[in-house]
Amino acid sequence: MIINHNMASLNTYRQLSSNNNATSKSLEKLSSGLRINRAGDDAAGLAISEKMRGQIRGLDQATRNAQDSISLIQTAEGALNETHSILQRMRELAVQASNDTNTTSDRDEIQKEVNALTDEIDRIANTTEFNTQKLLDGSKTGLRDEIKGTVTVQLNTQADVTVTLSSASITSTITATGTIVITRTKIGTGISGSNYTVGDPNALGISSGDITGAALSALAFGGGSFDVSGLENLKVGESITISFRKYEAEVTDSADSLSMQIGANSGQNILVGLNDMKATAIGVRDDASGDALDMSTSLNATAAVTSINNAIELVSGERSKMGAIQNRLEHTINNLGTSSENLTAAESRVRDVDMAKEMMNFQKNNILSQAATAMLAQANQQPQGVLQLLQ
């Protein structure tokens, strides 16, 4: 018998320490609800879980980003709703001024309201903001899909004229007998190059043979010209419309557009462009003079109706684009929510503890600790048997 080394006690103590350690870890998992509380619990699982957590938080933030983007779009679209109302009133006034039952003084009063409404269109475009960012002043045009310009020519008297469609840009020679009234001179600002084409002449009520000069597909913006013949067949008061469209390539940077981050990772964004919605941009204010549409004569007021119709179409197109973006963002939010939910479930399987299973382990380790404690007491009693030899 030996007394310096009680091997039974040492073995029991080792088992007790192991049981106490296991019980402590079970208590930690049960109290935190996590299977992995430190890297030592599961090194690989911790790395996987942290990566998933980054993605989950990114997806949740992207959802909030998309919701903020919808708020921005709704702010701009709400402003254009009022612009639409103003244009409808202006059109009503133009139709009223077209009637020759009005005197000059009557038209002067109509002109005052038109001037005020035009100024309000500019004010709305210049002051509509979201989080201090201007939305409709042309500073965030970025992804403008197309710019439309429409020119309507109307036969009034018998004469040959040359017409400039917009300031310092396209000059078109009308080689028919008739005075041409330009009802809309706004084509677009800051545009150059030869990307303009003339639309299908047949769709405009003109036969292909009626347009001569530059080829339809190669009409250059700036210095280009074309001839329209056959206008002698028009009756006084009748008109034709020639439409120009410039399609711009989609930009890949956000320098002059709004970048909406709608994903958890780099590059998962969409670029949104909001066109210039000032009075000049939509064609209800003259570029050169800065004047509102002229209502001083029946002929000018009639021409103004066409200009306002074009403006209404432009605003409608812009609002339609905003609505499409908003619907897209709503689908994005739904998709982000689904992705976040599924990734959270996967992260939970890696990181979270199974409470029922861990409670079972805790009870087992707790019972083993109590048993080891009792056995350690018994093992400590064994060396006392040596005293019997001294009697």
Side-chain angles (χ1 to χ4, degrees), residues 8 17 24 45 67 92 143 147-148 160 195-196 228 241 282 350 391:
S17 297
S24 177
Q67 290 169 339
E92 181 182 2
L143 292 177
I147 306 169
K148 300 178 181 178
D160 290 335
N195 295 325
Y196 268 83
V228 178
T241 299
I282 63 176
V350 174
Q391 296 178 359

Side-chain angles (χ1 to χ4, degrees), residues 2 16 27 69 95 138 161 228 236 240 257 280 325 342 364 376:
I2 59 175
L16 176 62
L27 282 173
S69 300
V95 172
V161 294
V228 178
V236 173
I240 61 172
S257 61
T280 301
I325 294 172
N342 291 326
K364 179 192 71 173
L376 181 59

Side-chain angles (χ1 to χ4, degrees), residues 22-43:
T23 302
S24 177
K25 286 186 176 181
S26 292
L27 282 173
E28 185 179 34
K29 292 176 181 179
L30 290 171
S31 61
S32 66
L34 297 175
R35 184 179 70 86
I36 304 174
N37 291 284
R38 60 179 65 83
D41 292 335
D42 185 349

Side-chain angles (χ1 to χ4, degrees), residues 92-360:
E92 181 182 2
L93 291 171
V95 172
Q96 180 183 357
S98 299
N99 194 355
D100 276 338
T101 59
N102 295 291
T103 64
T104 301
S105 60
D106 293 335
R107 289 195 173 100
D108 287 343
E109 298 306 315
I110 292 173
Q111 187 68 56
K112 290 178 183 178
E113 184 173 353
V114 170
N115 292 344
L117 292 174
T118 304
D119 290 341
E120 180 60 15
I121 290 175
D122 278 337
R123 190 199 68 79
I124 290 173
N126 287 322
T127 61
T128 300
E129 297 179 351
F130 183 85
N131 194 25
T132 73
Q133 294 188 89
K134 304 288 186 182
L135 300 180
L136 302 175
D137 65 345
S139 61
K140 294 295 182 181
T141 55
L143 292 177
R144 183 163 40 190
D145 296 326
E146 64 180 51
I147 306 169
K148 300 178 181 178
T150 302
V151 178
T152 298
V153 296
Q154 184 176 32
L155 182 64
N156 185 39
T157 60
Q158 300 298 312
D160 290 335
V161 294
T162 298
V163 180
T164 300
L165 301 187
S166 66
S167 58
S169 56
I170 299 178
T171 299
S172 299
T173 303
I174 309 300
T175 59
T177 55
T179 298
I180 307 304
V181 178
I182 302 302
T183 60
R184 182 175 179 209
T185 59
K186 174 65 183 175
I187 292 183
T189 57
I191 304 166
S192 60
S194 58
N195 295 325
Y196 268 83
T197 59
V198 179
D200 181 10
N202 296 316
L204 302 174
I206 328 170
S207 66
S208 299
D210 290 335
I211 296 183
T212 60
L216 294 183
S217 61
L219 180 63
F221 186 89
S225 64
F226 60 93
D227 297 330
V228 178
S229 60
L231 292 184
E232 65 275 4
N233 297 323
L234 290 176
K235 297 178 181 179
V236 173
E238 292 182 339
S239 65
I240 61 172
T241 299
I242 304 171
S243 297
F244 300 88
R245 296 169 183 257
K246 178 177 184 296
Y247 294 91
E248 294 186 348
E250 187 170 299
V251 299
T252 57
D253 60 73
S254 58
D256 57 350
S257 61
L258 295 167
S259 177
M260 307 303 188
Q261 180 68 28
I262 56 171
N265 302 314
S266 175
Q268 295 179 346
N269 64 321
I270 61 173
L271 299 180
V272 177
L274 301 177
N275 285 342
D276 187 349
M277 288 288 112
K278 295 193 285 290
T280 301
I282 63 176
V284 293
R285 188 190 293 278
D286 184 75
D287 274 335
S289 65
D291 295 334
L293 295 174
D294 185 13
M295 303 290 174
S296 60
T297 67
S298 175
L299 188 61
N300 289 340
T302 300
V305 173
T306 302
S307 296
I308 296 171
N309 281 340
N310 292 332
I312 291 174
E313 181 183 349
L314 285 174
V315 175
S316 296
E318 189 69 8
R319 290 184 69 185
S320 177
K321 182 182 73 175
M322 291 179 182
I325 294 172
Q326 181 176 335
N327 290 339
R328 176 182 178 180
L329 289 172
E330 288 174 353
H331 288 295
T332 297
I333 290 172
N334 293 336
N335 183 49
L336 289 171
T338 301
S339 298
S340 177
E341 177 184 345
N342 291 326
L343 197 56
T344 299
E347 196 266 342
S348 175
R349 286 189 289 271
V350 174
R351 197 76 173 245
D352 292 342
V353 68
D354 184 334
M355 296 293 287
K357 181 179 180 181
E358 198 57 43
M359 285 179 182
M360 178 186 69

